[in-house]
Amino acid sequence: DAMVIQNPRYQVTQFGKPVTLSCSQTLNHNVMYWYQQKSSQAPKLLFHYYDKDFNNEADTPDNFQSRRPNTSFCFLDIRSPGLGDAAMYLCATSSGTGGGTGELFFGEGSRLTVL
Amino acid sequence: GENVEQHPSTLSVQEGDSAVIKCTYSDSASNYFPWYKQELGKRPQLIIDIRSNVGEKKDQRIAVTLNKTAKHFSLHITETQPEDSAVYFCAASRAFNKFYFGSGTKLNVKP
């Protein structure tokens, strides 16, 4: 009964070769987030969508972009991955202020390796 | 944005002992404070949360306390068990729109 599904689970790319990670949700949540988590560190918020409104964190590099074509799907595009972008990328959803518990639901993550 | 600090970074306790993890936050408008448990290689999962209109919440062996004036909140685990070993993250959110995480506490419960 996976509610937040990320693909692929593991992605290996070459330095500078664009990568797209996908996330889908069956919860009909308003808000979708992308977090970057490096080993032994806290998840770092990159950006989030509240419905169609995109909200970028001030310190998110321009190399990272996102798309949300509909309620269910959200994509993370890394235009030119560097070695420092190797990390686990976590997608999460929440109901936002639209009701519900407000709980953040995470996907299993996509682990990116940059060679 | 919000700044969440978490201490300690590692915590080692004997099975059966209690464990306490503390967090502070900077944004006085934050009003929702969840705690997540992350086992190695797995997704973070919510274990307990508290809203700003409540000072304490318990769920079996786990409790969370919140001091809005001091802007800090704590996770208390009693009668710890080896399966409690994991990394614990606190987080703060304003109106459930954005969640900012603390740096994590690696809890090791020794049998």
Side-chain angles (χ1 to χ4, degrees):
Chain A
D1 290 0
M3 296 176 285
V4 182
I5 302 166
Q6 292 187 243
N7 284 297
R9 294 289 313 280
Y10 301 93
Q11 175 74 59
V12 180
T13 190
Q14 292 180 332
F15 183 94
K17 187 172 181 182
V19 161
T20 294
L21 306 177
S22 76
C23 177
S24 64
Q25 55 132 341
T26 59
L27 297 161
N28 203 33
H29 278 168
N30 295 326
V31 195
M32 295 188 77
Y33 307 81
W34 282 104
Y35 284 88
Q36 179 192 63
Q37 187 177 30
K38 296 187 176 180
S39 182
S40 304
Q41 296 183 22
K44 180 181 181 298
L45 181 62
L46 295 174
F47 27 56
H48 76 283
Y49 276 93
Y50 197 115
D51 293 328
K52 294 183 180 180
D53 292 334
F54 177 71
N55 298 270
N56 199 28
E57 292 299 294
D59 57 354
T60 298
D62 293 340
N63 198 26
F64 292 86
Q65 305 282 321
S66 186
R67 297 169 282 137
R68 188 178 187 185
N70 54 52
T71 301
S72 301
F73 284 87
C74 195
F75 299 95
L76 170 61
D77 300 308
I78 308 176
R79 292 192 299 185
S80 181
L83 298 178
D85 296 329
M88 175 73 84
Y89 290 88
L90 293 165
C91 174
T93 72
S94 74
S95 56
T97 53
T101 64
E103 178 182 345
L104 199 61
F105 289 86
F106 283 94
E108 295 281 6
S110 293
R111 182 166 295 283
L112 177 66
T113 300
V114 182
L115 301 177
Chain B
E2 173 68 276
N3 182 42
V4 180
E5 295 190 356
Q6 182 172 347
H7 301 280
S9 57
T10 59
L11 180 59
S12 190
V13 300
Q14 206 68 37
E15 181 177 0
D17 287 351
S18 295
V20 180
I21 303 170
K22 298 182 179 182
C23 287
T24 61
Y25 61 98
S26 61
D27 186 355
S28 56
S30 290
N31 58 3
Y32 175 65
F33 307 92
W35 286 88
Y36 285 82
K37 176 183 180 182
Q38 187 175 29
E39 297 176 352
L40 192 62
K42 296 189 176 181
R43 74 180 95 185
Q45 294 203 300
L46 180 71
I47 55 171
I48 195 166
D49 56 14
I50 192 166
R51 305 192 182 198
S52 59
N53 58 349
V54 175
E56 185 176 2
K57 182 177 178 180
K58 289 184 180 179
D59 183 3
Q60 299 182 340
R61 298 186 295 110
I62 295 173
V64 57
T65 57
L66 171 65
N67 183 327
K68 282 172 52 181
T69 304
K71 289 191 278 189
H72 67 70
F73 56 113
S74 300
L75 177 71
H76 305 254
I77 306 175
T78 59
E79 301 171 24
T80 53
Q81 301 167 2
E83 51 266 37
D84 294 330
S85 296
V87 178
Y88 291 81
F89 293 100
C90 63
S93 172
R94 182 198 297 194
F96 313 113
N97 282 342
K98 291 203 291 188
F99 292 75
Y100 293 96
F101 284 81
S103 52
T105 297
K106 185 174 183 179
L107 174 64
N108 179 34
V109 180
K110 295 178 286 188

